[in-house]
C-alpha cells in the first residue's frame, strides 16, 4: 500500500473541487461583473466586463481539460512531487475561486 493510494485520490478530489468552483462562476458571473463596473454604467461597459470574465473562465476550462487529460492519461500520475504540487495548487485555487464568488471580487485591473 503505497503513497499513491492516498495522493492520487486527493489530487482527483482537489482538481474536481476546483473545477466545480469554476463551473459555479461560469453559471453565475453577474455579481462579479456588477462589482467590476461603476454603479452608473453603460451597456457597452457591462458587455465588455462580461466578455472579459467569459474569456478568463473559458481559458480556465481549457486548462482544466489539459489537466484532466494529464490525470486520466497517467502522464504524471506516479510522480509524488508533481502530485503534491497539483494538490496544493488546486486546493488554493479552489478556495480563492470560491472566495472570489462569495465576496464578489472586482476582477478588472
Amino acid at each position: 500500500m503505497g503513497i499513491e493510494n492516498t495522493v492520487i485520490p486527493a489530487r482527483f478530489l482537489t482538481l474536481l473541487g476546483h473545477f466545480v468552483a469554476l463551473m459555479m462562476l461560469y453559471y453565475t458571473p453577474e455579481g462579479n461583473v456588477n462589482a467590476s463596473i461603476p454603479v452608473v454604467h453603460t451597456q457597452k461597459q457591462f458587455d465588455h466586463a462580461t466578455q472579459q470574465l467569459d474569456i478568463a473562465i473559458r481559458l480556465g476550462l481549457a486548462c482544466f481539460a489539459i489537466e484532466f487529460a494529464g490525470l486520466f492519461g497517467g502522464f504524471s500520475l506516479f510522480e509524488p512531487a508533481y502530485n503534491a504540487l497539483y494538490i496544493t495548487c488546486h486546493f488554493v485555487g479552489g478556495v480563492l475561486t470560491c472566495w472570489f464568488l462569495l465576496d464578489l471580487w472586482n476582477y478588472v485591473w
Side-chain angles (χ1 to χ4, degrees):
M1 190 148 167
I3 194 169
E4 291 86 14
N5 293 335
T6 304
V7 173
I8 293 170
R11 178 179 170 188
F12 176 73
L13 288 175
T14 55
L15 175 65
L16 195 61
H18 191 187
F19 178 73
V20 167
L22 186 66
M23 290 307 297
M24 287 173 30
L25 180 61
Y26 179 75
Y27 286 110
T28 58
E30 295 86 15
N32 295 94
V33 169
N34 287 330
S36 301
I37 55 179
V39 176
V40 179
H41 59 273
T42 64
Q43 185 64 34
K44 183 178 178 182
Q45 288 173 318
F46 182 81
D47 292 341
H48 181 68
T50 303
Q51 181 185 21
Q52 282 184 329
L53 185 59
D54 191 48
I55 289 170
I57 292 170
R58 289 179 191 269
L59 181 63
L61 289 174
C63 291
F64 271 109
I66 295 168
E67 183 75 27
F68 275 115
L71 178 67
F72 293 127
F75 304 119
S76 62
L77 204 54
F78 298 107
E79 296 291 334
Y82 292 153
N83 283 326
L85 177 67
Y86 289 139
I87 290 168
T88 304
C89 289
H90 283 296
F91 176 77
V92 171
V95 168
L96 289 177
T97 303
C98 289
W99 194 4
F100 176 79
L101 274 167
L102 294 174
D103 281 352
L104 301 176
W105 283 358
N106 180 349
Y107 65 90
V108 178
W109 57 87

